[in-house]
């Protein structure tokens, strides 16, 4: 049965988002209908609104969500009505070429349930990252639902569905940060702060947080950064070198998605060190560097999609660490807002006032 709910829709490139009536059909085979309880506002939602990710407007935004499964399609066995789940944008398919090679964290499968959600006039909605969760109820592929301990607060759990997982995983999975490493994180929004927390969890010895906003740097210290650099007032590369015995960091994580900060990351790492790009660039961005420096500095230049996570492995584990008091995920939630507050939340994000605004239903 189709339900009628209110959702946050980006109708055209650059235009403010609007609350619109969304028609959500009942779940077919392989699908689940989820009652969303909380959904964080991620910078990627703003990239969608700006046309930076694609031109498939209208978009149903929101993708950092947790909620309760309300109904499932006939053949669905992995989740059942009543389960508390975090929504993921990597439902490992087990069949694509990445899965076949035993590298499921690169799974290339896409999910189609989303294309069934429409506006009232029948216009199909493209759901952000195949989820679309700034809406009371959403239809997803059942594999996009990862069951976790329901003792966790939904507004905290949902953040593992994207930004915090992307940052944590960029440090631990992609960057391979390990005990004793030096790590620099450039850009300490929700994603970068997740990377700081990942470096803490992995046992890094030096964790340098870089941002242009002192408030973000204060928060980064709260997550466990050992040093902070405001790159408005200081040269990020010089400072990172100074703080690492003159050499540069073992792992530098770029969590903004800009050529100039990527260049900082490139030169702020030690010889044979690792750069992890987790920030998402836009199509017009270019990078111009001496090829000799790529050769001469060696090491690994990696990009991190979703922190190379495996939702079924990582979400329940991270929720348990949080419930044991070992992962302060609650510090990411600067405020909870109602579903009509997403446009204002983008503005607050732009002004640097929040790590995460989280819509609760
Ligand atoms: N790779 C992935 O899987 C993945 C997942 C989620 C988000 N992202 C991307 O990660 C990026 C960060 O997302 P977010 O939600 O943390 O955004 P955010 O807006 O909360 O944080 C960005 C931070 O960068 C800082 N910053 C901006 N310009 C800077 C500069 N020149 N030097 C230093 N700091 C600067 C800002 O002050 C802010 O603290 C976005 O591009 C987003 O699309 C990637
Ligand atoms: Zn796959
Ligand atoms: Zn996101």
């Amino acid at each position: 049965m189709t339900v009628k709910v209110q959702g946050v829709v980006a109708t055209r490139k650059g235009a403010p988002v609007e609350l619109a009536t969304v028609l959500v059909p009942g779940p077919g085979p392989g699908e689940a209908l989820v009652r969303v309880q909380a959904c964080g506002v991620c910078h990627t939602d703003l990239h969608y609104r700006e046309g930076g990710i694609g031109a498939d407007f209208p978009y149903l935004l929101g993708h950092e969500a947790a909620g309760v499964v309300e109904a499932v399609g006939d053949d669905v066995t992995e989740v059942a009505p009543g389960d508390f789940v975090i929504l993921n944008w990597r439902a490992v398919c087990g069949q694509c070429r990445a899965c076949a090679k035993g590298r499921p964290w690169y799974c290339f499968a896409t999910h189609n349930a989303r294309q069934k959600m429409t506006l009232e006039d029948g216009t199909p909605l493209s759901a952000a990252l195949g989820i679309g969760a700034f809406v009371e109820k959403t239809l997803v592929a059942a594999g996009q639902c990862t069951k976790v301990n329901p003792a966790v607060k939904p507004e905290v759990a949902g953040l593992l569905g994207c930004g915090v997982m992307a940052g944590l995983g960029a440090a631990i999975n992609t960057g391979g940060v390990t005990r004793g490493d030096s790590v620099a994180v450039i850009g300490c929004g929700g994603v970068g702060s997740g990377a700081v927390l990942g470096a803490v969890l992995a046992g890094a010895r030096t964790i340098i947080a870089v941002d242009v906003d002192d408030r973000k740097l204060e928060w980064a210290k709260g997550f466990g950064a050992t040093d902070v650099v405001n790159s408005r007032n200081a040269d990020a590369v010089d400072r990172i070198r100074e703080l690492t015995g003159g050499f540069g960091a073992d792992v530098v994580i770029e969590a903004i998605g800009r050529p100039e900060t990527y260049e900082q990351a490139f030169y702020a790492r030690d010889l044979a060190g690792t750069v992890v790009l987790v920030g998402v660039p836009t199509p017009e961005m270019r990078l111009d560097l001496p090829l000799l420096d790529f050769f001469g500095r060696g090491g690994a230049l990696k990009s991190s999609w979703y922190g190379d996570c495996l939702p079924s492995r990582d979400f329940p584990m991270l929720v348990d660490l949080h419930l044991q008091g070992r992962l302060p995920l609650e510090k990411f939630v600067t405020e909870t807002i109602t579903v009509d507050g997403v446009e204002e939340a983008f503005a607050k994000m732009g002004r640097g006032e929040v790590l995460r605004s989280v819509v609760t239903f």
Side-chain angles (χ1 to χ4, degrees), residues 15-177:
V17 297
E18 294 168 13
L19 260 190
T21 301
V22 176
L23 302 184
V24 185
E31 294 171 354
L33 180 71
V34 176
R35 179 165 55 81
V36 179
Q37 292 176 305
C39 182
V41 179
C42 173
H43 207 120
T44 302
D45 292 304
L46 184 56
H47 283 321
Y48 272 106
R49 196 201 73 170
E50 297 296 300
I53 306 235
D56 300 323
F57 291 91
Y59 286 103
L60 176 61
L61 298 183
H63 59 274
E64 279 190 355
V68 175
V69 175
E70 197 158 275
V72 295
D74 287 340
D75 58 343
V76 171
T77 52
E78 56 266 67
V79 284
D83 284 350
F84 177 69
V85 295
I86 298 175
L87 300 183
N88 74 71
W89 46 273
R90 178 174 290 145
V92 170
C93 77
Q95 283 159 11
C96 72
R97 60 197 190 282
C99 287
K101 282 183 183 161
R103 302 192 295 180
W105 47 90
Y106 297 137
C107 180
F108 298 119
T110 52
H111 311 292
N112 295 320
R114 63 191 189 269
Q115 283 153 357
K116 299 183 186 167
M117 291 188 279
T118 67
L119 291 173
E120 234 172 347
D121 65 1
T123 308
L125 285 162
S126 312
L129 290 168
I131 293 180
F134 288 143
V135 63
E136 247 177 285
K137 291 179 188 184
T138 188
L139 184 68
V140 293
Q144 291 183 276
C145 300
T146 309
K147 222 174 133 169
V148 297
N149 188 332
V152 62
K153 285 186 178 160
E155 60 268 36
V156 169
L159 301 185
L160 286 172
C162 183
V164 175
M165 183 69 247
L168 258 160
I172 296 177
N173 298 328
T174 318
V177 173

Side-chain angles (χ1 to χ4, degrees), residues 43-44 47 162 166 189-191 211 216 255-256 278 280 304 306 356:
H43 207 120
T44 302
H47 283 321
C162 183
V191 175
D211 205 289
K216 297 297 175 62
I256 305 161
V278 59
V280 180
S304 185
Y306 210 175
R356 278 296 185 263

